[in-house]
Amino acid sequence: MKGHWLRVMLIVLISSLMLSVVVGAASGQEERRVLRLAYTQEPPILFDYFSDLGVAWNLMRIHSLPPWGRDGAGTVVGKLVDVLPSEENGGVVHNLEDGKTIVSFTLADWAIWSDGTPITAADFELVFDVSKDGLSNMLEFRFVNGAALDSVAQGETEKDVIITFSFLQPDWTTATFVPLPNHLLREDYEAALAEGRGMDTMEWLRAPVVSNGPFLFAEWDSGSFIRYTRNENYAGDVWFDDVVISFYPDNTVIKQLLVNGETDWTFAIPILEAQELVNENSEILALDTFFSGGRMELRFNQGPNGHPALRDSRVRQALSMAVDRQFIVDELYDGNTAIPRSFWDGTPWFYEGTPQTAYDPEGALALLEEAGWYDDGSGVIASHGVEGVEDGTELALTSATYAGGGFTQYQDVLLVVQDMLSEIGIDVTITHYAVNVIHAPFSTDSPYATGKHDLFVQGWGVGTSTIDQLELWSCDSIPSEENDTGWNGIHACYPEMDDLWDVLGTSLSADERQDAANQIQTLMAEEAFTLFIVNLLPALTFNAQLENVSWHVTDIPWHTLPEWSFAE
Amino acid sequence: MLKYIAGRIIQAIPLLFIISVILFAIMNSIGDPLAIQLSQGRPPTGEERLRMRRRMGLDQPIYLQYIYWMIGNDWTYIDADGDGDTDENIRGPRKGVLRADLGRSLITKQFAQVRIMERLPNTLILMIPMYILAITMALVLGAISALRQYSALDNLLTTAAFVFYSMPIFFISLGMIFIFAIGLRNWGLPHTPIAGMFEPGEPKTLTNLIRHLILPASSLAIIYAAAYMRYVRSSILEAMNADYVRTAYAKGLAKRRIFAIHILKNAALPLVTIVGLDLPFVLGGAVITESIFAWPGMGLLFIESLTRSDYPVLMGILMLIAVAVVVLQLLTDLVYSLLDPRVALMGQTG
């Protein structure tokens, strides 16, 4: 018996020693400066030309740069050019007759690919060819912000590029896109076309071994990580040797990695949770937020499937007045965001005169009563003498927002809104849907496109640097069997606003465009078809030793990445 | 035997066809693959969105999409540029499942079979050691528990099995991370990595792999072992009380011989059935465990594809599991007949 226990103990001891050796095995590699980024999503490819997923868009900007882009302050800066084109230097010419803008620029001599080959007009022409080949399934709206790209040509020398586009907005700064290395890709691309395939099927998009950004693609272990190394031919100093992007689908794990010092940076933790994490670990972690141009909105469905009360702007206004947005900012976000004062708040096109909706529950009840919706003693708010609505119709609403762990702030805000509306006697029921369900086309019976609910809490982005012509609220974009992919699921149709959007897209007069933007902001506030609840501020949670960290959602999110470093 | 196997395979063909029809219908109602792609900047206009749908063939009626998925579309002309008109000079690029083409991922544009084959080995690396560990633990602990029925050790093992079997996998996984990755590290002891399969930038060595394998494999093995242990215990108890065992004792056979030959072999039959039923799903990976430990296997691929409505990849994974179910059921029946000669297969006489 004694021998039996001795054997057992010996086995346990040997197993423990083996385990210690295995788990304690340390790497004997040379010390490199490695920046470790954690994402929840893996990109499908490393170019957003063929994928509109945010992760493809922002990772592309680590290895590839356009001729120019905006810095953190929104100023346009050259990335591959010494001199920016402008109307003054003749680099930008607007042709009013045919609605075209021609942008000409010269690539700097120092603008070279990582293999040392100069970047030339041919590299831009390749992108243009891919966008027009009819096979590459390219997202044309990625180019020049949705305007039609008419031609890309070489000027006098191979370093001179001439881009012509039809303007949806006459802003030359949008005529920028990342070139592709023609000297490497042209042959394979044409071979693919000959086989009836487009560039979107080329493996190179997952392994761009030649690029022009501060870092260069090194390896991609599918489902695990992508590793970049420093581009030795980059025209500037870069502090880190490697950037490793690892993918952890569960952000609980990312939190532990941050606390353990096993990752350095993420924006995968929703702001409410990031605040808590950083407060608990303030010595090792830091938090930063940035204006993404995104708004969280409470959208009122005026369509045939929405509650009839919501077709009256007074009711929508009343519901807006019943939502205490400052409480949401202070209590839910710890003051780490702000109430958007209009669609363009935070951009140069914000109109100071935009009417603001103040929290006023009593005023809301009065306005509801004026519209014919009040409690006559029965305990519920119901219709009384409202045209087209049967008397006694209860004002009880259904609402929807996104499902899933990445959307907790939407779910939390909708819960608060539900509480606030119940305080003025309006019951709201809540349903959550996956993003790919709620934003699906009309023909798939999507809850938003078919207007299944009365209220929608959603997030939409506004360009931080440009005035976009959007189809979120135009009369033509109401989804239907004929218009399967329209965006205007809440049936907010104002012909006068459609005309104003057209002015934004076509007028060359800055004053005229600003005036149109002002009128749009006023009309949106008066008609109250949507309530901007809070600015969506993605949270950067990172190692407190990391210096010079900044990030933003414009052309080059990683605009300061070469300068990121660890404190000594 | 061969006649039996051939019969079962022929029976499986209509079954797989029906499964594929049902799955295809379900996959096409799980959302819009384009909707998930609208996360950055200016959303495409309705017209741009429609063009993207046409290029992907998502505007086609579902029966036509199914036909293309099954037999390909290289025999017909398609709307390659998405302008709403069929391009009379461009044939479809797909060969169809019947010609070993599962289609291209709607998201990465890689062939679905490439996506699957990238991840399948990783899942097998996780699941095979996990299964060996789980079955070993189940057999050893189940046998100990049965041999010492109603002892304190039996009660302890039985209770532990109930507790671990009832516990959600995410709870066990996060608990393991907390103890073996964070706790040990904080105490200055050798610790396991939190997640991943290899350390980025480090050589892909066996040591590196094993370090990363410990937590996910153990988390899964605990739950599987807890479930199987219950079967092993009750089967052994049943076998121990059988007449043939009593006879063996009466004949004076050694206890170990009786246990190994007469008890364990007979008690293994229910376990073979259960493992046979579970094994096909090994190919599907462990969705939650792989997600928590960022293990780049089939489970993670499945959940990624599901959230992105990437139905060619989803269909590939699900059909792979369906085929595995059919094949492994057949294998289970064959193993059953080997373990217990009393079990006759169709066409054989007992």
Side-chain angles (χ1 to χ4, degrees), chain A residues 446-477:
Chain A
S446 134
Y448 181 67
T450 58
K452 274 193 172 48
H453 297 275
D454 306 314
L455 309 174
F456 293 92
V457 168
Q458 296 180 339
W460 290 95
V462 47
T464 53
S465 54
T466 60
I467 292 187
D468 291 332
Q469 188 192 41
L470 296 179
E471 291 197 353
L472 300 177
W473 300 296
S474 72
C475 301
D476 290 343
S477 62

Short mmCIF file of all heavy atoms in Angstrom, two decimals, chain A residues 446-477:
data_model
loop_
_atom_site.label_atom_id
_atom_site.label_comp_id
_atom_site.label_asym_id
_atom_site.label_seq_id
_atom_site.Cartn_x
_atom_site.Cartn_y
_atom_site.Cartn_z
N SER A 446 -36.68 42.62 -43.01
CA SER A 446 -35.85 43.25 -41.97
C SER A 446 -36.69 44.18 -41.10
O SER A 446 -37.55 44.91 -41.59
CB SER A 446 -34.75 44.04 -42.66
OG SER A 446 -34.62 45.32 -42.12
N PRO A 447 -36.47 44.16 -39.79
CA PRO A 447 -37.30 44.97 -38.89
C PRO A 447 -37.21 46.47 -39.16
O PRO A 447 -38.19 47.19 -38.99
CB PRO A 447 -36.76 44.65 -37.50
CG PRO A 447 -35.66 43.68 -37.65
CD PRO A 447 -35.47 43.36 -39.09
N TYR A 448 -36.04 46.93 -39.58
CA TYR A 448 -35.91 48.37 -39.83
C TYR A 448 -36.49 48.74 -41.20
O TYR A 448 -37.29 49.67 -41.31
CB TYR A 448 -34.44 48.79 -39.74
CG TYR A 448 -34.25 50.27 -39.95
CD1 TYR A 448 -34.76 51.20 -39.03
CD2 TYR A 448 -33.63 50.76 -41.09
CE1 TYR A 448 -34.62 52.56 -39.24
CE2 TYR A 448 -33.48 52.12 -41.30
CZ TYR A 448 -33.98 53.01 -40.38
OH TYR A 448 -33.86 54.36 -40.59
N ALA A 449 -36.10 47.98 -42.22
CA ALA A 449 -36.56 48.33 -43.58
C ALA A 449 -38.09 48.23 -43.69
O ALA A 449 -38.71 48.99 -44.43
CB ALA A 449 -35.89 47.42 -44.60
N THR A 450 -38.69 47.31 -42.97
CA THR A 450 -40.14 47.17 -43.05
C THR A 450 -40.85 47.96 -41.94
O THR A 450 -42.07 47.94 -41.86
CB THR A 450 -40.57 45.69 -42.95
OG1 THR A 450 -40.07 45.16 -41.71
CG2 THR A 450 -40.02 44.86 -44.10
N GLY A 451 -40.08 48.62 -41.11
CA GLY A 451 -40.67 49.47 -40.06
C GLY A 451 -41.50 48.69 -39.06
O GLY A 451 -42.61 49.09 -38.70
N LYS A 452 -40.96 47.59 -38.57
CA LYS A 452 -41.72 46.73 -37.65
C LYS A 452 -41.90 47.36 -36.28
O LYS A 452 -42.74 46.93 -35.50
CB LYS A 452 -40.98 45.41 -37.46
CG LYS A 452 -41.29 44.35 -38.48
CD LYS A 452 -40.75 43.01 -38.01
CE LYS A 452 -41.19 41.87 -38.90
NZ LYS A 452 -41.02 42.06 -40.30
N HIS A 453 -41.06 48.33 -35.95
CA HIS A 453 -41.13 48.93 -34.61
C HIS A 453 -41.35 50.44 -34.72
O HIS A 453 -41.13 51.03 -35.77
CB HIS A 453 -39.84 48.63 -33.83
CG HIS A 453 -39.66 47.16 -33.58
ND1 HIS A 453 -40.25 46.51 -32.52
CD2 HIS A 453 -38.98 46.23 -34.27
CE1 HIS A 453 -39.92 45.22 -32.58
NE2 HIS A 453 -39.16 45.02 -33.64
N ASP A 454 -41.75 51.01 -33.59
CA ASP A 454 -42.04 52.44 -33.58
C ASP A 454 -40.78 53.27 -33.34
O ASP A 454 -40.65 54.38 -33.85
CB ASP A 454 -43.07 52.75 -32.49
CG ASP A 454 -44.31 51.89 -32.62
OD1 ASP A 454 -44.81 51.78 -33.76
OD2 ASP A 454 -44.76 51.30 -31.61
N LEU A 455 -39.91 52.73 -32.51
CA LEU A 455 -38.69 53.46 -32.17
C LEU A 455 -37.48 52.58 -32.49
O LEU A 455 -37.52 51.37 -32.28
CB LEU A 455 -38.66 53.81 -30.67
CG LEU A 455 -39.88 54.48 -30.07
CD1 LEU A 455 -39.72 54.59 -28.55
CD2 LEU A 455 -40.06 55.88 -30.67
N PHE A 456 -36.42 53.21 -32.97
CA PHE A 456 -35.17 52.47 -33.22
C PHE A 456 -34.03 53.25 -32.59
O PHE A 456 -33.88 54.45 -32.85
CB PHE A 456 -34.90 52.34 -34.72
CG PHE A 456 -35.89 51.45 -35.44
CD1 PHE A 456 -37.02 52.00 -36.02
CD2 PHE A 456 -35.69 50.08 -35.52
CE1 PHE A 456 -37.94 51.19 -36.69
CE2 PHE A 456 -36.60 49.27 -36.18
CZ PHE A 456 -37.74 49.82 -36.76
N VAL A 457 -33.27 52.58 -31.76
CA VAL A 457 -32.04 53.21 -31.27
C VAL A 457 -30.90 52.64 -32.12
O VAL A 457 -30.64 51.44 -32.10
CB VAL A 457 -31.82 52.93 -29.77
CG1 VAL A 457 -30.41 53.34 -29.35
CG2 VAL A 457 -32.84 53.71 -28.95
N GLN A 458 -30.28 53.51 -32.88
CA GLN A 458 -29.26 53.07 -33.84
C GLN A 458 -28.08 54.03 -33.84
O GLN A 458 -28.17 55.14 -33.30
CB GLN A 458 -29.83 53.04 -35.27
CG GLN A 458 -30.94 52.03 -35.44
CD GLN A 458 -31.49 52.03 -36.86
OE1 GLN A 458 -31.34 53.00 -37.59
NE2 GLN A 458 -32.13 50.95 -37.25
N GLY A 459 -27.01 53.61 -34.44
CA GLY A 459 -25.85 54.48 -34.59
C GLY A 459 -25.58 54.73 -36.06
O GLY A 459 -25.58 53.81 -36.86
N TRP A 460 -25.37 55.98 -36.40
CA TRP A 460 -25.03 56.33 -37.77
C TRP A 460 -23.86 57.30 -37.74
O TRP A 460 -23.75 58.12 -36.85
CB TRP A 460 -26.22 56.98 -38.50
CG TRP A 460 -27.31 55.99 -38.78
CD1 TRP A 460 -28.40 55.77 -38.01
CD2 TRP A 460 -27.38 55.08 -39.86
NE1 TRP A 460 -29.17 54.77 -38.55
CE2 TRP A 460 -28.57 54.33 -39.69
CE3 TRP A 460 -26.58 54.82 -40.97
CZ2 TRP A 460 -28.95 53.34 -40.59
CZ3 TRP A 460 -26.98 53.84 -41.86
CH2 TRP A 460 -28.14 53.12 -41.67
N GLY A 461 -23.03 57.22 -38.76
CA GLY A 461 -21.88 58.10 -38.82
C GLY A 461 -22.13 59.29 -39.71
O GLY A 461 -22.80 59.18 -40.73
N VAL A 462 -21.58 60.43 -39.33
CA VAL A 462 -21.60 61.60 -40.18
C VAL A 462 -20.13 61.84 -40.51
O VAL A 462 -19.26 61.63 -39.68
CB VAL A 462 -22.22 62.81 -39.46
CG1 VAL A 462 -21.67 62.97 -38.07
CG2 VAL A 462 -21.99 64.08 -40.23
N GLY A 463 -19.84 62.25 -41.73
CA GLY A 463 -18.45 62.53 -42.07
C GLY A 463 -17.90 63.60 -41.15
O GLY A 463 -18.54 64.62 -40.93
N THR A 464 -16.73 63.35 -40.57
CA THR A 464 -16.16 64.36 -39.67
C THR A 464 -15.48 65.47 -40.46
O THR A 464 -15.24 66.53 -39.94
CB THR A 464 -15.12 63.71 -38.75
OG1 THR A 464 -14.18 63.01 -39.55
CG2 THR A 464 -15.77 62.77 -37.78
N SER A 465 -15.17 65.18 -41.71
CA SER A 465 -14.41 66.18 -42.45
C SER A 465 -15.14 66.67 -43.70
O SER A 465 -14.70 67.59 -44.34
CB SER A 465 -13.07 65.57 -42.87
OG SER A 465 -13.30 64.37 -43.58
N THR A 466 -16.21 66.02 -44.04
CA THR A 466 -16.88 66.40 -45.29
C THR A 466 -18.38 66.49 -45.05
O THR A 466 -18.91 65.93 -44.11
CB THR A 466 -16.66 65.34 -46.37
OG1 THR A 466 -17.20 64.11 -45.88
CG2 THR A 466 -15.21 65.16 -46.70
N ILE A 467 -19.05 67.19 -45.94
CA ILE A 467 -20.51 67.14 -45.93
C ILE A 467 -20.91 66.06 -46.92
O ILE A 467 -20.69 66.19 -48.11
CB ILE A 467 -21.13 68.48 -46.36
CG1 ILE A 467 -20.84 69.53 -45.29
CG2 ILE A 467 -22.62 68.35 -46.55
CD1 ILE A 467 -21.54 70.85 -45.52
N ASP A 468 -21.44 64.99 -46.42
CA ASP A 468 -21.82 63.90 -47.31
C ASP A 468 -23.24 64.09 -47.80
O ASP A 468 -24.10 64.57 -47.07
CB ASP A 468 -21.77 62.56 -46.57
CG ASP A 468 -20.34 62.19 -46.25
OD1 ASP A 468 -19.45 62.60 -46.99
OD2 ASP A 468 -20.14 61.49 -45.25
N GLN A 469 -23.47 63.63 -48.99
CA GLN A 469 -24.85 63.55 -49.43
C GLN A 469 -25.35 62.18 -49.02
O GLN A 469 -24.86 61.16 -49.50
CB GLN A 469 -24.95 63.71 -50.94
CG GLN A 469 -26.39 63.83 -51.37
CD GLN A 469 -26.54 63.69 -52.86
OE1 GLN A 469 -25.89 62.86 -53.47
NE2 GLN A 469 -27.42 64.48 -53.43
N LEU A 470 -26.25 62.16 -48.11
CA LEU A 470 -26.70 60.89 -47.55
C LEU A 470 -28.09 60.53 -48.05
O LEU A 470 -28.84 61.37 -48.50
CB LEU A 470 -26.70 60.97 -46.03
CG LEU A 470 -25.33 61.17 -45.38
CD1 LEU A 470 -25.48 61.26 -43.89
CD2 LEU A 470 -24.41 60.03 -45.74
N GLU A 471 -28.38 59.24 -47.92
CA GLU A 471 -29.70 58.78 -48.32
C GLU A 471 -30.44 58.22 -47.13
O GLU A 471 -31.30 57.39 -47.27
CB GLU A 471 -29.58 57.72 -49.41
CG GLU A 471 -29.07 58.28 -50.71
CD GLU A 471 -29.34 57.33 -51.86
OE1 GLU A 471 -29.79 56.20 -51.61
OE2 GLU A 471 -29.10 57.73 -53.00
N LEU A 472 -30.04 58.67 -45.95
CA LEU A 472 -30.67 58.11 -44.75
C LEU A 472 -32.10 58.60 -44.60
O LEU A 472 -32.91 57.95 -43.98
CB LEU A 472 -29.86 58.49 -43.51
CG LEU A 472 -28.42 57.99 -43.47
CD1 LEU A 472 -27.72 58.48 -42.23
CD2 LEU A 472 -28.37 56.48 -43.54
N TRP A 473 -32.38 59.79 -45.13
CA TRP A 473 -33.70 60.34 -44.90
C TRP A 473 -34.38 60.86 -46.18
O TRP A 473 -35.34 61.59 -46.10
CB TRP A 473 -33.60 61.52 -43.91
CG TRP A 473 -33.04 61.10 -42.59
CD1 TRP A 473 -33.62 60.23 -41.72
CD2 TRP A 473 -31.81 61.49 -42.01
NE1 TRP A 473 -32.81 60.07 -40.62
CE2 TRP A 473 -31.70 60.83 -40.77
CE3 TRP A 473 -30.79 62.35 -42.40
CZ2 TRP A 473 -30.61 60.99 -39.93
CZ3 TRP A 473 -29.71 62.52 -41.56
CH2 TRP A 473 -29.63 61.84 -40.34
N SER A 474 -33.88 60.51 -47.34
CA SER A 474 -34.51 61.08 -48.53
C SER A 474 -35.79 60.30 -48.88
O SER A 474 -35.93 59.13 -48.53
CB SER A 474 -33.55 61.04 -49.72
OG SER A 474 -33.40 59.71 -50.16
N CYS A 475 -36.70 60.99 -49.55
CA CYS A 475 -37.98 60.35 -49.93
C CYS A 475 -37.73 59.16 -50.86
O CYS A 475 -38.45 58.16 -50.79
CB CYS A 475 -38.90 61.36 -50.62
SG CYS A 475 -39.28 62.79 -49.60
N ASP A 476 -36.69 59.28 -51.69
CA ASP A 476 -36.40 58.20 -52.64
C ASP A 476 -35.84 56.95 -51.98
O ASP A 476 -35.74 55.90 -52.61
CB ASP A 476 -35.37 58.67 -53.68
CG ASP A 476 -35.98 59.68 -54.62
OD1 ASP A 476 -37.22 59.75 -54.66
OD2 ASP A 476 -35.22 60.41 -55.27
N SER A 477 -35.39 57.09 -50.74
CA SER A 477 -34.72 55.93 -50.12
C SER A 477 -35.62 55.20 -49.13
O SER A 477 -35.13 54.43 -48.30
CB SER A 477 -33.42 56.36 -49.46
OG SER A 477 -33.67 57.28 -48.44
#
